[in-house]
């Protein structure tokens, strides 16, 4: 089903604007396979691995179950990524879940995803990453205590604005930043793994003597532990947000996924083993900066390198998230589900500048929230809900449109392709697990779940008034057009050329 475009919207063109060198104003295909891998790994390996070990352990109750959750979260993310490989090559549009839900179920569910992503999923994830960056970079200045939250919040705001400027200026600059800091964060995790295994080889095995002691078997808490684990893997679907800018997406999208997810899973499991070897459960649960606590205990005078590398890691993750998620809102606005101003492209740099700036503003507003773990549970529930909807869309399109071109089809065992040997049962398993993750936390965290549902449903009247209402009053149409023209003139932007 095609996207529904809001009626009575006037085109926005900026007079006397300098055109691009090739006289074509549109987003360019500038991302290769290495860039795709760097985006996925760079976004996944960010704040999560340095924040979520505490949340996973707290809800698991034991070291053994926490490691099981990390492995399970990686396998589940890989299955989900394979499903999204089919979706991304079957529906080769930027926008990720928004595009897939729209094609499978129509404009209203797609708009509700966009509504929640705009005000909850994306800016909250970016705020968490920015706060974690600030926490780690400032920690050495306040040894033995937490940095003042005002200083953390200010630095998080500054780095968010800086990365927004980089992404507004040049796509290649943003991807080079992503490539460099992806390598840096992998190096930091290698340091943690090597140091942890060295500690283990010296005979320190006491933390693994009773690995399953204290295991929490309640389904609700298991779901919350998986939430924290999945938060560390979140970002595996972000490359789908920029499919239109990916060179040869039919090949590079599944290749990037198959390289990135196994790599990240192995790194995460070994990094957590290193944490658990060196730190006791009480030390992990008492720390808001697990990697810094790890470095203080094991690295001695070189402990300063850990907060530095962690800050580099979260810096790269935030850059990748800003780059990819801004395209989601750009596509939503291009389809008439957000103000046209957000779908404008800067005529000199060919970047979606208004979308990037709008996302930056919302992220800055959310930086006032202090409890990062409430945000993780809150974001994870809403994200799991719409991921479930996207995968159900895959199953629905298999039934509704069996002849739709699918360069990658999970479950087609007759083609000689690794992805196609995966049984159709995997999308069904992924759907069932996502449904479990959506259902069981309702008993453990009803407040977060309830607020999430309210925010989702609040998008319905917004859709009815601003999207579905065909006979809008002239003052509303004119006001919207004037706002779009003001943004176009301010940011030197025009609408994307429609030529293919």
């Amino acid at each position: 089903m095609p996207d529904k475009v809001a009626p009575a919207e006037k085109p926005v063109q900026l007079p006397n604007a300098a055109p691009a060198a090739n006289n074509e104003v549109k987003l360019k295909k500038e991302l290769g396979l290495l860039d795709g891998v760097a985006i996925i790994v760079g976004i996944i390996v960010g704040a999560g691995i340095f924040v979520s070990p505490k949340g996973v352990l707290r809800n698991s109750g034991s070291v053994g179950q926490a490691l099981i959750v990390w492995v399970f979260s990686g396998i589940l993310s890989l299955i989900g990524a394979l499903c999204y490989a089919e979706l991304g090559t079957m529906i080769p549009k930027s926008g990720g879940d928004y595009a897939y839900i729209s094609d499978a179920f129509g404009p209203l569910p797609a708009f509700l995803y966009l509504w929640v992503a705009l005000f909850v999923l994306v800016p909250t994830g970016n705020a968490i990453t920015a706060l974690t960056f600030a926490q780690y970079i400032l920690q050495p200045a306040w040894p033995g205590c937490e940095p003042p939250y005002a200083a953390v919040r200010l630095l998080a705001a500054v780095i968010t604005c800086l990365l927004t400027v980089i992404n507004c200026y040049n796509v290649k600059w943003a991807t080079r930043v992503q490539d460099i800091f992806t390598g840096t964060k992998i190096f930091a995790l290698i340091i943690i793994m090597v140091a942890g295994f060295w500690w283990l080889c010296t005979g320190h095995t006491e933390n693994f003597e009773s690995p399953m002691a204290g295991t929490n078997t309640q389904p609700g808490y298991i779901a919350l532990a998986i939430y924290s684990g999945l938060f560390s893997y979140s970002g595996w679907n972000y490359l789908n947000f920029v499919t239109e800018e990916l060179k040869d997406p039919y090949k590079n999208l599944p290749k990037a996924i198959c390289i990135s997810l196994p790599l990240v899973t192995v790194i995460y499991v070994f990094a957590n083993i290193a944490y658990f070897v060196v730190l006791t459960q009480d030390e992990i649960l008492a720390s808001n900066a697990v990697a810094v606590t790890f470095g203080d205990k094991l690295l001695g005078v070189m402990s300063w390198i850990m907060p530095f590398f962690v800050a580099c890691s979260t810096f790269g993750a935030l850059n990748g998230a800003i780059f990819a998620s801004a395209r989601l809102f750009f596509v939503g606005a291009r389809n008439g589900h957000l103000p046209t101003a957000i779908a404008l492209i800067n005529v000199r740099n060919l970047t979606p500048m208004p979308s990037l700036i709008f996302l930056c503003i919302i992220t800055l507003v959310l930086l006032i929230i202090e409890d990062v773990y409430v945000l993780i549970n809150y974001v994870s529930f809403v994200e799991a809900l719409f991921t479930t909807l996207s995968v159900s869309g895959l199953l629905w399109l298999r039934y509704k449109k069996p002849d739709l071109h699918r360069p990658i089809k999970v479950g087609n065992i007759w083609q000689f392709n690794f992805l196609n040997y995966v049984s159709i049962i995997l999308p069904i398993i992924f759907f069932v697990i996502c449904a479990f993750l959506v259902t069981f936390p309702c008993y453990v965290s009803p407040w977060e779940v309830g607020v999430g549902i309210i925010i989702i449903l609040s998008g319905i009247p917004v859709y009815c008034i601003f999207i579905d209402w065909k006979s809008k009053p002239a003052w509303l149409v004119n006001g919207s057009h004037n706002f779009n023209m003001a943004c176009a003139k301010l940011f030197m932007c025009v609408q994307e050329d429609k030529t293919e």
Side-chain angles (χ1 to χ4, degrees), residues 150-167:
V152 172
R153 184 171 54 189
L154 177 61
L155 182 57
V158 170
I159 201 64
T160 300
C161 294
L162 173 63
L163 287 174
T164 299
V165 170
I166 291 174
N167 277 270

Side-chain angles (χ1 to χ4, degrees), residues 292-438:
V292 171
T293 304
F294 177 95
D296 290 341
K297 186 170 183 177
L298 203 61
L299 299 181
V301 295
M302 295 298 294
S303 61
W304 62 270
I305 68 173
M306 195 49 58
F308 170 76
F309 279 125
V310 172
C312 290
S313 173
T314 51
F315 185 91
L318 182 59
N319 175 71
I322 290 173
F323 175 84
S325 55
R327 272 62 179 176
L328 166 64
F329 305 129
F330 171 84
V331 172
R334 187 175 63 185
N335 293 333
H337 286 171
L338 290 175
T340 302
I342 300 178
L344 300 179
I345 298 176
N346 182 267
V347 295
R348 293 193 176 95
N349 303 325
L350 299 180
T351 58
M353 186 177 292
S355 179
L356 288 160
I357 294 173
F358 187 66
L359 173 60
C360 177
I361 292 172
I362 299 177
T363 303
L364 294 178
V365 172
L366 290 180
L367 284 173
I368 62 175
I369 300 175
E370 297 189 32
D371 192 341
V372 67
Y373 297 103
V374 169
L375 287 178
I376 290 174
N377 290 337
Y378 183 44
V379 168
S380 298
F381 165 76
V382 178
E383 189 168 25
L385 180 61
F386 281 102
T387 300
T388 304
L389 188 60
S390 294
V391 176
S392 65
L394 183 150
L395 298 173
W396 173 249
L397 288 174
R398 285 278 192 95
Y399 168 75
K400 189 72 174 179
K401 299 180 180 180
D403 298 326
L404 198 63
H405 180 56
R406 292 173 171 85
I408 298 296
K409 184 177 180 182
V410 181
N412 183 354
I413 63 173
W414 301 110
Q415 297 181 24
F416 294 98
N417 185 303
F418 169 75
L419 291 176
N420 294 325
Y421 281 97
V422 183
S423 171
I424 184 60
I425 198 66
L426 289 184
I428 298 175
I429 291 174
F430 187 72
F431 171 79
V432 171
I433 293 174
C434 287
F436 162 80
L437 294 175
V438 168

Side-chain angles (χ1 to χ4, degrees), residues 80-418:
L82 294 176
C83 295
Y84 273 63
E86 176 177 332
L87 284 167
T89 53
M90 178 177 61
I91 307 172
K93 303 176 184 177
S94 292
D97 297 79
Y98 169 76
Y100 313 145
I101 293 171
S102 179
D103 275 37
F105 301 116
L108 177 56
F111 174 80
L112 293 179
Y113 170 77
L114 190 66
W115 172 257
V116 174
L118 182 64
F119 292 106
V120 180
L121 295 181
V122 172
T124 296
N126 290 355
I128 291 172
T129 306
L131 288 170
T132 304
F133 166 84
Q135 174 79 25
Y136 274 85
I137 204 70
L138 294 175
Q139 186 67 50
W142 280 270
C145 62
E146 294 292 322
Y149 185 69
V152 172
R153 184 171 54 189
L154 177 61
L155 182 57
V158 170
I159 201 64
T160 300
C161 294
L162 173 63
L163 287 174
T164 299
V165 170
I166 291 174
N167 277 270
C168 286
Y169 183 75
N170 191 292
V171 170
K172 290 185 178 180
W173 278 29
T175 55
R176 294 294 82 79
V177 167
Q178 194 64 22
D179 295 343
I180 292 170
F181 282 92
T182 295
T184 303
K185 65 183 68 181
I186 297 299
F187 181 68
L189 288 170
I190 289 174
I191 291 177
I192 291 174
M193 289 186 286
V194 171
F197 280 97
W198 172 83
W199 188 255
L200 180 64
C201 292
T202 59
H204 295 86
T205 60
E206 58 273 12
N207 293 343
F208 282 92
E209 291 178 356
S210 301
M212 302 304 293
T215 296
N216 195 337
T217 59
Q218 297 181 42
Y221 285 99
I222 293 175
L224 289 178
I226 296 173
Y227 269 3
S228 291
L230 290 177
F231 174 78
S232 294
Y233 287 94
S234 63
W236 50 261
N237 61 334
Y238 268 49
L239 189 60
N240 294 62
F241 289 175
V242 296
T243 303
E244 294 175 18
E245 295 175 75
L246 189 64
K247 299 175 183 176
D248 197 358
Y250 297 126
K251 292 183 179 179
N252 286 333
L253 178 60
K255 282 183 180 180
I257 288 171
C258 288
I259 293 171
S260 304
L261 267 297
L263 174 65
V264 171
T265 301
V266 171
I267 290 174
Y268 274 13
V269 172
F270 283 123
N272 275 277
I273 291 174
Y275 285 146
F276 293 139
V277 166
V278 175
L279 304 175
T280 66
Q281 292 190 44
D282 291 338
E283 287 174 327
I284 293 175
L285 294 176
S287 174
N288 286 326
V290 176
V292 171
T293 304
F294 177 95
D296 290 341
K297 186 170 183 177
L298 203 61
L299 299 181
V301 295
M302 295 298 294
S303 61
W304 62 270
I305 68 173
M306 195 49 58
F308 170 76
F309 279 125
V310 172
C312 290
S313 173
T314 51
F315 185 91
L318 182 59
N319 175 71
I322 290 173
F323 175 84
S325 55
R327 272 62 179 176
L328 166 64
F329 305 129
F330 171 84
V331 172
R334 187 175 63 185
N335 293 333
H337 286 171
L338 290 175
T340 302
I342 300 178
L344 300 179
I345 298 176
N346 182 267
V347 295
R348 293 193 176 95
N349 303 325
L350 299 180
T351 58
M353 186 177 292
S355 179
L356 288 160
I357 294 173
F358 187 66
L359 173 60
C360 177
I361 292 172
I362 299 177
T363 303
L364 294 178
V365 172
L366 290 180
L367 284 173
I368 62 175
I369 300 175
E370 297 189 32
D371 192 341
V372 67
Y373 297 103
V374 169
L375 287 178
I376 290 174
N377 290 337
Y378 183 44
V379 168
S380 298
F381 165 76
V382 178
E383 189 168 25
L385 180 61
F386 281 102
T387 300
T388 304
L389 188 60
S390 294
V391 176
S392 65
L394 183 150
L395 298 173
W396 173 249
L397 288 174
R398 285 278 192 95
Y399 168 75
K400 189 72 174 179
K401 299 180 180 180
D403 298 326
L404 198 63
H405 180 56
R406 292 173 171 85
I408 298 296
K409 184 177 180 182
V410 181
N412 183 354
I413 63 173
W414 301 110
Q415 297 181 24
F416 294 98
N417 185 303
F418 169 75

